[in-house]
Amino acid sequence: MADLSLILNNVLELDGAISAALVDSHSGMLLASVGRGIDIEIAAAGSSQLVRAEMKTASLLRNNDKIIDILITLKKQYHILRPLSKVSGIFIYLVLDSSRGNLALARRKVSDIDGLIDSI
């Protein structure tokens, strides 16, 4: 397994990227983080509750589908939460400046990073 911070640093190359983290959705704890501009520990803890709620809702719906990512749109920022496809209970959290960032490119980059992580 590669260094998690090194993997996350790749996402900071995106225009408008502010901060990124790998988060344990069960505990809300950071496994790795990079960037600046927000208190990523508080954001990760709160967002882990959202990820758990969405996962539970998807399970209750029993539609045999899975969550690819969750997008939170603020006036000045986009927050992308993507559960890892190969590691249960962990998600990537990216904060992007909405005036400078490209949402489609950011989602693509987060997808690429998801593909790099097969164990924690």
Side-chain angles (χ1 to χ4, degrees):
M1 179 187 65
D3 178 34
L4 297 176
S5 294
L6 185 61
I7 291 172
L8 288 176
N9 270 322
N10 287 325
V11 81
L12 289 185
E13 296 171 2
L14 289 167
D15 284 340
I18 295 171
S19 190
L22 279 172
V23 183
D24 181 325
S25 65
H26 302 293
S27 67
M29 299 293 292
L30 291 176
L31 303 175
S33 66
V34 295
R36 40 103 189 112
I38 69 166
D39 188 332
I40 195 70
E41 287 187 59
I42 290 174
S47 294
S48 66
Q49 294 176 11
L50 177 63
V51 170
R52 284 194 313 270
E54 287 296 324
M55 296 292 217
K56 181 177 181 179
T57 301
S59 174
L60 292 172
L61 291 173
R62 298 180 187 162
N63 60 6
N64 294 326
D65 209 350
K66 69 177 194 170
I67 295 170
I68 300 299
D69 60 30
I70 300 165
L71 173 64
I72 302 168
T73 307
L74 304 175
K75 188 170 185 166
K76 296 180 182 180
Q77 296 175 344
Y78 298 126
H79 293 228
I80 300 171
L81 314 170
R82 183 183 178 104
L84 292 180
S85 56
K86 299 175 192 169
V87 184
S88 179
I90 308 297
F91 67 95
I92 301 168
Y93 186 0
L94 171 64
V95 180
L96 189 68
D97 181 316
S98 61
S99 68
R100 297 185 312 125
N102 180 310
L103 185 55
L105 289 176
R107 289 183 71 221
R108 174 63 189 257
K109 188 69 149 180
V110 169
S111 174
D112 291 346
I113 289 172
D114 177 20
L116 294 174
I117 303 171
D118 52 14
S119 65
I120 300 282

